[in-house]
Amino acid sequence: MPLSPLLAPADLHARLDAGEAIRLLDVRYRLDQPDGRPEYLAGHLPGAVYVDMDTELASHGAPSDGRHPLPSRETLQDAARRWGLNDGDVVVVYDDYRSVAAARAWWLLQRAGVEEVRVLDGGLGAWRAAGLPLEEGDVAPIPGSITLSDPAGGLTIDQAAAWPDRGLLLDARAPERYRGATEPYDPIAGHIPGAVNLPADAVLEGEAFASPEAIRAAFARAGATDDTPIAAYCGSGLTAAHTALAGASAGIDVAVYPGSWSQWSNTPGRPVATGADPRGGV
């Protein structure tokens, strides 16, 4: 059975307590609070290195590239070396909000060739709830020498447009954004025609991921079968990686459209659907 991408706090603590060399990455990021460094400095897992979403796990481009374009191989590799990573290291990533930012790091690093990268299930909140130790201040590791491959990939905008004709395209945003009732971040409200809504809440139990059985049931309710090719998008590609992480924990392969709605809605000529019907109101 494939190794789960998730790691419980007690299991991580036991491995660290046994002296296993594990690289810990703190990936705190929220749209309303993109700089998580102050909170990191106030308390993080012992030895964890802070990772900056906007400069290390994403690049910058035109609006039609989306809000979080994928970083180049050089950008990600330079960052990983700053984090102290070497070839063969075991990496565990976490954040403080539903593992959405951590999922982006997981998705990029496993695409770039890191053999074992896990996500702390439940994140910082679960670690604290278990009464496990934290430390304050910055961590500046000895620079590593890891060699990464190009993390580029995922679906292009054209592949995302065509996906509903060959499989299941999941929209991981909140239902009101999917329906087009509200859109707080992007210029147009609605969803990609043919996409089915599966919000992140559907694969979570609190801050932690639901059981594999519950995740498989949520995917099935959205229309997934054993033979269905599945892909996901969201607002800017982060929660889509979270959907892929949930799928991986339940044995379901999920492709990611990194550009997501922020790219789609900023690209002239792309059709927009509204309402609860996947192809309604185009």
Side-chain angles (χ1 to χ4, degrees):
M1 184 174 181
L3 184 69
S4 171
L6 304 176
L7 190 61
D11 293 335
L12 174 58
H13 184 255
R15 291 176 65 172
L16 293 171
D17 204 40
E20 187 171 345
I22 296 176
R23 301 289 184 178
L24 301 175
L25 303 180
D26 186 308
V27 194
R28 295 193 221 191
Y29 172 88
R30 303 187 192 196
L31 279 173
D32 62 346
Q33 193 173 328
D35 184 5
R37 183 177 288 277
E39 286 70 29
Y40 160 81
L41 293 173
H44 53 79
L45 270 64
V49 177
Y50 177 70
V51 175
D52 185 89
M53 173 67 70
D54 285 332
T55 63
E56 296 181 314
L57 299 181
S59 63
H60 299 279
S64 58
D65 294 324
R67 279 196 304 280
H68 289 113
L70 300 186
S72 67
R73 184 192 72 84
E74 292 76 17
T75 294
L76 185 61
Q77 181 172 277
D78 287 349
R81 290 178 175 180
R82 180 189 74 77
W83 307 333
L85 300 194
N86 295 296
D87 292 325
D89 280 349
V90 174
V91 179
V92 175
V93 296
Y94 70 91
D95 61 39
D96 64 350
Y97 182 65
R98 310 206 303 178
S99 298
V100 172
R104 168 64 165 232
W106 166 82
W107 187 76
L108 281 175
L109 290 174
Q110 53 95 21
R111 289 185 63 82
V114 177
E115 186 173 343
E116 184 179 347
V117 53
R118 314 280 292 277
V119 173
L120 178 63
D121 196 15
L124 184 65
W127 183 268
R128 281 179 170 149
L132 297 172
L134 296 175
E135 69 177 15
E136 300 177 356
D138 202 5
V139 174
I142 297 172
S145 59
I146 194 169
T147 300
L148 297 180
S149 54
D150 192 345
L155 302 189
T156 66
I157 192 170
D158 289 331
Q159 289 171 327
W163 197 273
D165 294 328
R166 63 179 293 265
L168 178 64
L169 180 62
L170 298 173
D171 184 318
R173 296 174 300 161
E176 60 271 19
R177 292 184 68 194
Y178 170 81
R179 295 193 306 269
T182 184
E183 181 45 66
Y185 305 112
D186 295 311
I188 300 172
H191 61 264
I192 296 174
V196 176
N197 192 211
L198 183 67
D201 287 346
V203 298
L204 293 173
E205 289 182 0
E207 291 285 311
F209 283 89
S211 68
E213 295 76 17
I215 291 172
R216 286 192 289 268
F219 273 74
R221 288 192 296 272
T225 69
D226 290 342
D227 300 323
T228 307
I230 302 171
Y233 75 95
C234 58
S236 67
L238 307 190
T239 309
H242 184 272
T243 301
L245 175 59
S249 74
I252 301 170
D253 184 52
V254 180
V256 171
Y257 170 31
S260 284
W261 189 249
S262 58
Q263 180 182 54
W264 187 278
S265 63
N266 278 289
T267 302
R270 293 292 171 177
V272 173
T274 57
D277 185 338
R279 295 187 182 274
V282 178

